[in-house]
Amino acid sequence: MNNTFEFFNVRSVNFKNELFAGLTVAMTMIPESLSFAILAGLPPLTGLYAAFLMGLVTAVLGGRPGMVSGGAGATIVVLMALAASHGIDYLFAAVILAGLLQFLVGLFKWGKFVRLIPQPVMYGFLNGLAIIIFMAQVVQFKVSNGTDTAWMSGTTLYIMAGLVALTMLIVIGFPRLTKAIPASLVAILVVFGLVSLLGIETKKVVDIASVSGSLPHFHLPNVPWSWETLQLIFPYSLVMAGVGLVESLLTLNMVDEITASKGNANRESMAQGLANTINGFFGGMGGCAMVAQTLVNLNAGARTRLSAFIGAITILVIILVGAPFIEQIPMAALVGVMMMVAIGTFQWVSLRIINKFPKSDIFVGVLVAGITVLLHNLALAVLVGVVISALVFAWDNAKRIRARKYLDKDGVKHYDIYGPLFFGSTANFLDKFDILEDPDRVIVDFRESRVVDMSAVDALNKITERYAVQHKKIELWHLSQDCRSLLKNAEGIAIVNIMEDPTYPVMPGK
């Protein structure tokens, strides 16, 4: 259902699943938001505020029930340099501007262009993201020694690894007993209880940062509201907006596939933009959809907006009153849950059917995954993948243009064209004509072809001119009205037969 307040429709909601899913999402989002805020050199609460504000606004106003948004590392990494060089207020200003840009994308209905992302790019994106999620958990096996950090060793390492393994086993095995309660939530509670009862010394959430605080309050970024400030923050805001939308809309597509339903990309873009703008005014570091938490949410059985709403409210309650409890949760439990999410995110099917893919698709998938893992730049990875896929498609179609040639009983030469005529195939098209040897009358039939862009129109002009130089007439059959009107040299040189001509439009550029 697409109604904004659909979670109030009692008949459509499994309250138990939504409640447990929301609680689990909150528990897995808190350490991640804290970690990314600390990584960016920001106060820990900016991460928690982002998790609360992003989750709340997108849960109510977003275009995809079941999707979870929060303070994501993919977006804050873009702004780290700005915060380091100019301070946190400039970061908040950049987040506000990024939100406005995202809102405009949704308002002008540009979100639909994410549908142009090919499947190999999706595979590469998800596989790369799975590796990033997994590697981010491995870092939790480090401990701080004053100003330095070092890998765990000895008993500390064995305890951490054992608790992570126990968590993963519970997540794998508990659903075989019952699916009434999310396995990830059970795993967190079991490990928490075990550590508390036995007094086991291990790394906990409090060892990353405190999660206690007050309600977020309105704060106008303390920056000069000038053209110079806009010039400074705009590039950062543009990249953040792009990264956030790409990750959010790809996540939306992923949820569409999992739930066999349809989300609204433009509405989600507007919600993401509004949420980020609010973040900038209320001290949040901004964010976007979170793939890992969304998968946790869906795996727990959530399908409506209620779970994300509960998750956001839970984070706020934890900030206000629940910090002492949450701070004692062992990091091993959260690491184990997130590792299982990473394993579930990885598209194992892509490995099983890799031998059935064209080599170009394999290359694109591996390249996108590699850029995602090495650069953590999701927007660049997807952009490169789409561009390469488009070039491969253009090359393949350029080779498909063919011409069947024959002379009829009246001595007229016919060229029946097959395949699309566009910028990539114009050279092959022009090479197919034997202008010097052809008779005085030539017919080129586009019944089985299509003139796609201005490069194709230019090629038709060129071929008519070449025949005109030899004082020969050429008839172009089955061209669209748009194409005929653009053939500026057709009159007196080319005879355009309008019988049964199609009405498709010609693209205005390459």
Side-chain angles (χ1 to χ4, degrees):
M1 297 176 63
N2 289 322
N3 189 333
T4 299
F5 298 101
E6 66 185 350
F7 45 75
F8 293 122
N9 185 342
V10 176
R11 291 177 298 176
S12 67
V13 179
N14 183 321
F15 284 100
K16 181 186 60 145
N17 284 355
E18 302 294 326
L19 175 63
F20 285 141
L23 295 175
T24 308
V25 163
M27 289 187 181
T28 58
M29 192 183 295
I30 285 173
E32 189 166 338
S33 298
L34 286 173
S35 298
F36 283 127
I38 295 167
L39 174 68
L42 304 176
L45 277 178
T46 61
L48 293 183
Y49 286 157
F52 162 62
L53 294 170
M54 292 297 302
L56 183 66
V57 174
T58 57
V60 176
L61 300 177
R64 176 64 270 180
M67 197 163 86
V68 177
S69 295
T75 52
I76 194 59
V77 167
V78 172
L79 304 180
M80 285 173 58
L82 177 64
S85 60
H86 289 80
I88 192 171
D89 281 294
Y90 278 87
L91 179 142
F92 291 146
V95 170
I96 292 170
L97 181 57
L100 293 175
L101 293 174
Q102 290 177 327
F103 187 87
L104 290 176
V105 168
L107 184 65
F108 290 108
K109 302 187 184 302
W110 294 335
K112 60 186 177 183
F113 288 108
V114 77
R115 299 174 191 168
L116 298 177
I117 298 174
Q119 190 63 41
V121 176
M122 282 289 290
Y123 279 147
F125 167 78
L126 291 172
N127 290 346
L129 201 60
I131 295 171
I132 288 177
I133 294 171
F134 191 89
M135 295 306 297
Q137 309 316 310
V138 173
V139 174
Q140 297 299 335
F141 283 85
K142 287 185 176 181
V143 290
S144 177
N145 298 320
T147 57
D148 299 324
T149 58
W151 291 102
M152 294 178 178
S153 60
T155 305
T156 304
L157 174 62
Y158 300 145
I159 291 175
M160 182 77 170
L163 292 175
V164 169
L166 175 61
T167 303
M168 296 175 73
L169 288 174
I170 294 174
V171 173
I172 294 171
F174 188 78
R176 298 180 180 179
L177 299 177
T178 177
K179 294 183 179 179
I181 305 175
S184 49
L185 179 59
V186 172
I188 291 172
L189 294 176
V190 168
V191 173
F192 173 79
L194 188 65
V195 169
S196 300
L197 291 174
L198 300 182
I200 299 173
E201 289 293 326
T202 187
K203 186 177 181 180
K204 299 176 181 177
V205 171
V206 71
D207 296 320
I208 297 179
S210 172
V211 298
S212 60
S214 60
L215 282 170
H217 59 277
F218 181 83
H219 168 70
L220 196 66
N222 184 23
V223 300
W225 296 88
S226 64
W227 176 250
E228 289 72 20
T229 301
L230 181 62
Q231 287 180 305
L232 172 65
I233 67 174
F234 182 77
Y236 292 97
S237 298
L238 185 63
V239 175
M240 178 190 172
V243 170
L245 283 182
V246 167
E247 185 162 359
S248 296
L249 296 183
L250 285 178
T251 305
L252 183 145
N253 279 0
M254 178 190 72
V255 179
D256 284 353
E257 292 183 11
I258 293 174
T259 62
S261 58
K262 188 68 175 175
N264 188 322
N266 294 312
R267 178 171 166 179
E268 184 61 37
S269 299
M270 295 173 71
Q272 293 284 335
L274 181 61
N276 273 312
T277 301
I278 292 173
N279 259 265
F281 283 120
F282 284 86
M285 68 180 187
C288 62
M290 304 184 77
V291 179
Q293 278 69 25
T294 297
L295 288 170
V296 167
N297 193 42
L298 296 177
N299 292 339
R303 289 296 182 270
T304 72
R305 303 174 187 276
L306 183 58
S307 59
F309 182 85
I310 290 173
I313 297 300
T314 300
I315 291 172
L316 178 62
V317 172
I318 288 169
I319 293 172
L320 298 178
V321 299
F325 171 77
I326 296 301
E327 288 174 350
Q328 297 307 309
I329 292 178
M331 283 303 301
L334 301 176
V335 167
V337 169
M338 296 305 291
M339 283 186 169
M340 290 305 301
V341 168
I343 293 171
T345 303
F346 195 90
Q347 300 296 292
W348 301 100
V349 66
S350 65
L351 299 181
R352 292 198 300 269
I353 63 176
I354 193 169
N355 60 332
K356 299 179 182 178
F357 282 1
K359 291 181 180 179
S360 58
D361 285 354
I362 297 172
F363 173 75
V364 168
V366 172
L367 181 65
V368 170
I371 294 175
T372 303
V373 172
L374 296 177
L375 302 182
H376 288 211
N377 191 329
L378 307 181
L380 177 63
V382 172
L383 177 62
V384 169
V386 170
V387 168
I388 293 178
S389 296
L391 291 174
V392 170
F393 175 81
W395 177 255
D396 288 343
N397 279 274
K399 296 185 295 184
R400 291 180 181 176
I401 192 161
R402 308 181 309 281
R404 185 168 69 93
K405 312 171 189 178
Y406 62 91
L407 282 171
D408 64 19
K409 59 182 175 31
D410 297 321
V412 178
K413 183 70 171 286
H414 289 255
Y415 288 86
D416 292 346
I417 306 301
Y418 297 85
L421 181 59
F422 68 110
F423 69 90
S425 61
T426 54
N428 287 341
F429 170 75
L430 293 173
D431 288 342
K432 297 187 181 300
F433 294 90
D434 190 0
I435 299 172
L436 294 178
E437 300 298 327
D438 280 348
D440 291 339
R441 186 183 176 207
V442 174
I443 295 174
V444 184
D445 192 338
F446 289 89
R447 183 189 296 272
E448 301 298 332
S449 180
R450 174 167 178 155
V451 178
V452 176
D453 58 11
M454 289 298 295
S455 294
V457 172
D458 182 62
L460 295 181
N461 275 322
K462 286 179 180 177
I463 200 64
T464 56
E465 289 170 354
R466 291 177 187 180
Y467 276 101
V469 170
Q470 301 299 321
H471 305 290
K472 298 176 180 180
K473 292 290 186 181
I474 178 173
E475 298 181 24
L476 306 178
W477 287 10
H478 299 102
L479 291 175
S480 71
Q481 180 62 47
D482 285 359
C483 184
R484 293 198 305 273
S485 65
L486 290 170
L487 281 168
K488 62 180 183 298
N489 295 326
E491 186 175 358
I493 299 174
I495 300 173
V496 180
N497 187 316
I498 65 172
M499 295 298 292
E500 303 178 16
D501 282 4
T503 58
Y504 61 78
V506 177
M507 295 296 289
K510 295 184 182 180

